Amino acid sequence: MSVEKMAKLEERLQKAVGLKKMVERWQKSHTNCLWQMTLGQRRNFYAALRMRNAMAQEIVLANKQLLLVRQAALHQLFEKEHQQYQRELNQLGKAFYVERL
């Protein structure tokens, strides 16, 4: 082999080695990007689960509060009706029996 052919062959070999290193770097970078993306998706998934759990807890607490408010409104309505019945019976000259202790 001539010196020129050896030089050209060596240049090609160096280019091939450089290309191989570049491909390896790209593969590592690609793998790292995929890993980061899946990590981000997992974080988002767990964040969504936490948010869903928090929303469920808030709904439970809101339902409890709504129940308390409705019970208080119903109690107030019963008291109002009771007073109205007392007034009507007083107008008729009658009254509820109230046991005094």
Side-chain angles (χ1 to χ4, degrees), residues 1 4 7 9-10 15 24 29 41 47-50 56-57 63 73 75 78-79 83-84 87 90:
M1 248 192 212
E4 291 177 7
L9 187 60
E10 196 167 318
K15 284 182 183 180
E24 287 173 356
S29 176
Q41 289 171 353
L49 282 179
R50 281 193 305 273
Q57 289 175 354
N63 285 337
H75 181 69
F78 286 151
E79 284 293 320
Q83 289 173 1
Q84 181 182 353
R87 280 193 302 273
N90 279 339

Side-chain angles (χ1 to χ4, degrees), residues 79-92:
E79 284 293 320
K80 186 178 177 182
E81 286 181 353
H82 181 71
Q83 289 173 1
Q84 181 182 353
Y85 292 145
Q86 277 185 338
R87 280 193 302 273
E88 289 175 2
L89 288 173
N90 279 339
Q91 288 174 354
L92 296 173

Side-chain angles (χ1 to χ4, degrees), residues 24-90:
E24 287 173 356
R25 283 193 308 261
W26 180 83
Q27 285 177 336
K28 283 184 181 180
S29 176
H30 181 69
T31 304
N32 195 12
C33 284
L34 289 175
W35 184 77
Q36 289 292 332
M37 285 173 48
T38 58
L39 183 65
Q41 289 171 353
R42 281 184 276 165
R43 281 188 198 137
N44 291 339
F45 175 73
Y46 289 122
L49 282 179
R50 281 193 305 273
M51 188 182 309
R52 187 180 304 157
N53 290 338
M55 286 173 45
Q57 289 175 354
E58 287 178 11
I59 288 172
V60 167
L61 292 175
N63 285 337
K64 285 182 182 179
Q65 289 296 321
L66 181 61
L67 179 65
L68 290 175
V69 167
R70 291 176 71 190
Q71 285 176 344
L74 188 61
H75 181 69
Q76 189 177 22
L77 178 66
F78 286 151
E79 284 293 320
K80 186 178 177 182
E81 286 181 353
H82 181 71
Q83 289 173 1
Q84 181 182 353
Y85 292 145
Q86 277 185 338
R87 280 193 302 273
E88 289 175 2
L89 288 173
N90 279 339

